[in-house]
Every structure is written in C-alpha cells, then in structure tokens.
Amino acid sequence: MAPTADPAGPSSAAPAELFGVKTAYPYLQTPRRLRWVRWALWWLVFLVVTVVACWLLARYYSRALDKQQNKSKGVGDGTGDFTVEFVPLKFDVSSSTLTVLFTPEDATTEADVLGRARNTTTFYVGGSPASKTFATGAVLTPFTVVYAVPADTSVYPFDAYALNFTIFALYANGDQATLDLDVNLETALPSFQYEDAVPYSLPDFNVLGFSFAFRRSGLTIALTVFTWVLMHLWTVMVVFLAAQCIFRERPAYPFMVWAAASIFSMSTIRGIQPSAPVVGTYYDMGTYVWAVVISCVAAFALFVVSFHKHKPESEKDKLLKKKEKEFKFRKFIREETALTAEAEAKAAAEAPAASYVNSSYMPLSYQR
C-alpha cells in the first residue's frame, strides 16, 4: 500500500498561514493603514468624551440655574399709587442693549376698574425712551424701554454685564406719585443667566431702583469652548492633509473640495453660536480668523498642486505607466508564488512520518 501524507496537509494549513498573515485584509494590516485606523479610533473616542463632558456640564449649570433664589424681587412699601413690573426681554450683544418690559398695574387710588389712569401720569425710566406718559382716561398698557449696558465683548464667552436703573412717576401738576416696583427675573434671557439682583429705594424722593448682573450660561460657554477646540483640530487636519497631498503625491481633488467646504462650515459654526458678538473678539483672533485663513491657503495650494500634476499625459507617458503596472503585477505574482512554495515546503517538513492507512483515505491519484 502506497504511503500517503496527512489528509489535513498543506492544502489546509498553508492558506491559513499564508493568507492570514500576508494577504488577508491587506488594507488594514500595513503599518501605514494601521496608523490611520488608530488615529480614526482616537478621534472618535475624543468626540464621544467631549460630547459627554459638555452634556454633563450643561446639566450641572442648568441645575445650578434652577436653584437660584430670589428670581423675583420687590421694592416699595406696598402702598404706592402704582405698581410697576420690570421684565427683561432681550439682550442684543452686537449693540449692548437690553430691552425691558414695564407693566404699570392697577392701583386703587389712580386707576379705575378698567385700568385707566384718572390723572395724567408720566413714568421716568432713564432708558430709551426716557419717559412714558399716560393721559387721563388712557389704559395703562405695557411699554418697552431699551437700556444701554456697558460691556466688553472681547472676552467672549466669558463676558459679564451689569445694569442699574431707576424709576419714578410725576403727575401733570408736578406732584410725585408713589410707586411699588416688582422685578421679575424668571423670564430667562436666551443663553444668559442672572447672578446678583439688588433692589434699592430712595424714600425721600420716591425713587425706586434695581441693579442686577448677568453672564453667559454654562451651556453657552461649554458649546463655545467645544467649537474652539474643534476649529483648532480642524485646522491641524487641513494642514496635515494638504501636506500629504503635496509631498506624498496623494490625490488632491477630494481634499481640495473638503478644505474649501471647511471655510464655509467654519463661518456657519461661528454664526450659529447663541448670542455671539460680532467678529473681533479674542476668540476670533485666536481661532476663527486663523482657521479660515489657513483653510483658504490650504485649498489654494491643493488647487495649484492638482492643476500642476494632472496635466494631459502623452502617449509615451501612458505606455511607460502601462509597462510599470505590468512589471509590478509580475513582481507580485512571483512574490506570491515564492511565499506559497515556502509555506508548502514548511508544511511538508512539519508533517508526521508516512504511515500505511486504509486506501479509502488516500487521494484519488494514489487509488488509481
């Protein structure tokens, strides 16, 4: 009976050894591709950690905002001729103005049951307009006043604001009316939160006042810091990809489009930030402006490189490229053949000694 080798010979062991190391998933097993995969995974982990951190920070500040005390405060002895409510409505960062709603409410002495003033009364609020007059018989309707708030927006998003205002009222004959002032801060300004709120009064002059401060909310600060980090990483990525295309001859067309699109995407990200001031803050000078300029330069460089490299090929260049591809293909076949032969020889050397077995386990060639 003819000797035979192990049925699980080189035909089953060699491919696993050969292709499992040399050719299986070649895109992921080369060192350069592995570096890209690891970089992508680290980038994904960074994004997840950043989003979770921003979410936790937002929850912390929102709870802190809900726990603020004394959102509504009053000043006055409660026996005034009028009760006026002060409610902040809108803060315009570009012009540093705060829009406030004043609501004169019914008083027992100077308004009838329909809310109409029985005497001509002028409220002086010190804003724009500086006063509001209700004639005899006019309904006491709410009116808005715009205050100029001193501000330094260059330190955005860590800018803070403070407002002091006074209010008093005079009748048409020159007599001064007594007031009760209710300040309602429960209506939150978008992307801001209140800090200090201190009412005060000058009883000798029947003048009431209020001072309060407000700043950016925690969610706004977290979002701005996240976009600041994102723009820095985006700029580094644009420079890295441009260098890869210029010095390592990678295809420049997709990266050129991406670099050009990043210019407009950065402008969009800068514009959608809540209550953001006009461009010119430290945040812009240190991040946004440089990111846009560097992206423009990178896109222009990629365009020049792409235009220079992708010129029409001559017939001679096409023939040389074709022969080069054929040479590389033949070299690859020779290397694969050598690796296969080496793997088969190694498997044959490691196979157990020949033994006599039943002919039913022999290959067909031996049985014949």
Side-chain angles (χ1 to χ4, degrees), residues 229-257:
V229 175
L230 184 62
M231 284 188 182
H232 275 287
L233 294 177
W234 198 310
T235 305
V236 173
M237 191 63 186
V238 168
V239 174
F240 174 75
L241 292 178
Q244 290 286 318
C245 296
I246 295 174
F247 300 107
R248 304 193 65 173
E249 298 185 354
R250 295 184 181 273
Y253 278 119
F255 298 116
M256 179 179 62
V257 175

Side-chain angles (χ1 to χ4, degrees), residues 299-314:
F300 181 75
L302 290 175
F303 173 77
V304 173
V305 171
S306 178
F307 182 80
H308 176 71
K309 289 184 177 180
H310 294 79
K311 56 185 178 181
E313 294 181 343
S314 61

Side-chain angles (χ1 to χ4, degrees), residues 74 97 131 145 168 183 185 190 197 199-200 278 299 312 336 356 368:
T97 56
S131 61
V145 180
F168 63 95
V183 178
L185 299 181
Y200 59 88
V278 296
E336 288 293 316
Y356 293 96
R368 293 174 185 173

Side-chain angles (χ1 to χ4, degrees), residues 98 126 208 225 320 337:
L98 177 66
L208 303 180
V225 172
L320 289 175
T337 304

Side-chain angles (χ1 to χ4, degrees), residues 16-349:
E17 181 180 353
L18 173 64
F19 296 101
V21 176
K22 299 295 182 182
T23 58
Y25 306 105
Y27 182 82
L28 296 179
Q29 290 195 356
T30 58
R32 185 181 303 172
R33 299 297 186 271
L34 282 176
R35 287 197 299 267
W36 276 95
V37 172
R38 290 170 183 171
W39 180 89
L41 291 176
W42 277 113
W43 174 251
L44 181 61
V45 170
F46 169 77
L47 286 180
V48 171
V49 172
T50 305
V51 170
V52 172
C54 292
W55 180 76
L56 293 175
L57 186 63
R59 282 182 57 87
Y60 169 76
Y61 276 101
S62 63
R63 291 182 178 180
L65 182 61
D66 293 337
K67 292 179 180 179
Q68 284 186 348
Q69 302 295 327
N70 300 324
K71 290 184 178 179
S72 297
K73 292 190 176 183
V75 57
D77 56 6
T79 60
D81 298 332
F82 296 95
T83 299
V84 182
E85 186 180 21
F86 169 97
V87 181
L89 295 181
K90 177 184 176 182
F91 179 68
D92 189 355
V93 180
S94 59
S95 60
S96 295
T97 56
L98 177 66
T99 302
V100 177
L101 178 66
F102 283 96
T103 305
E105 298 180 353
D106 295 347
T108 56
T109 56
E110 295 300 332
D112 59 14
V113 293
L114 298 179
R116 295 178 296 190
R118 296 181 178 178
N119 292 319
T120 300
T121 309
T122 302
F123 294 90
Y124 294 90
V125 292
S128 178
S131 61
K132 176 69 174 180
T133 301
F134 293 95
T136 302
V139 179
L140 297 174
T141 57
F143 60 96
T144 58
V145 180
V146 178
Y147 286 94
V149 182
D152 181 14
T153 58
S154 62
V155 294
Y156 171 81
F158 303 101
D159 45 344
Y161 306 88
L163 173 65
N164 297 308
F165 75 92
T166 57
I167 182 172
F168 63 95
L170 294 178
Y171 293 125
N173 58 5
D175 294 338
Q176 190 163 4
T178 57
L179 300 178
D180 289 323
L181 178 63
D182 290 332
V183 178
N184 185 0
L185 299 181
E186 294 183 0
T187 304
L189 295 173
S191 71
F192 289 92
Q193 68 181 34
Y194 302 109
E195 288 187 329
D196 299 326
V198 180
Y200 59 88
S201 63
L202 302 176
D204 295 339
F205 303 96
N206 288 327
V207 176
L208 303 180
F210 201 87
S211 63
F212 70 98
F214 56 97
R215 61 177 179 84
R216 304 279 175 176
S217 63
L219 180 59
T220 303
I221 296 176
L223 177 62
T224 306
V225 172
F226 175 72
T227 57
W228 181 82
V229 175
L230 184 62
M231 284 188 182
H232 275 287
L233 294 177
W234 198 310
T235 305
V236 173
M237 191 63 186
V238 168
V239 174
F240 174 75
L241 292 178
Q244 290 286 318
C245 296
I246 295 174
F247 300 107
R248 304 193 65 173
E249 298 185 354
R250 295 184 181 273
Y253 278 119
F255 298 116
M256 179 179 62
V257 175
W258 183 75
S262 65
I263 301 172
F264 303 97
S265 61
M266 289 182 185
S267 302
T268 304
I269 293 174
R270 174 63 175 82
I272 64 174
Q273 295 184 26
S275 301
V278 296
V279 177
T281 63
Y282 294 140
Y283 165 82
D284 299 316
M285 296 298 103
T287 304
Y288 169 67
V289 174
W290 283 107
V292 172
V293 171
I294 292 174
S295 298
C296 290
V297 174
F300 181 75
L302 290 175
F303 173 77
V304 173
V305 171
S306 178
F307 182 80
H308 176 71
K309 289 184 177 180
H310 294 79
K311 56 185 178 181
E313 294 181 343
S314 61
E315 294 297 331
K316 182 179 179 180
D317 295 335
K318 292 181 180 179
L319 182 61
L320 289 175
K321 283 189 176 181
K322 182 178 179 181
K323 290 186 176 297
E324 184 180 358
K325 289 182 179 179
E326 292 178 355
F327 174 77
K328 290 182 178 180
F329 178 74
R330 291 172 182 173
K331 183 180 178 182
F332 173 76
I333 293 298
R334 289 196 300 268
E335 292 177 353
E336 288 293 316
T337 304
L339 289 173
T340 304
E342 181 184 351
E344 290 179 350
K346 183 179 179 181

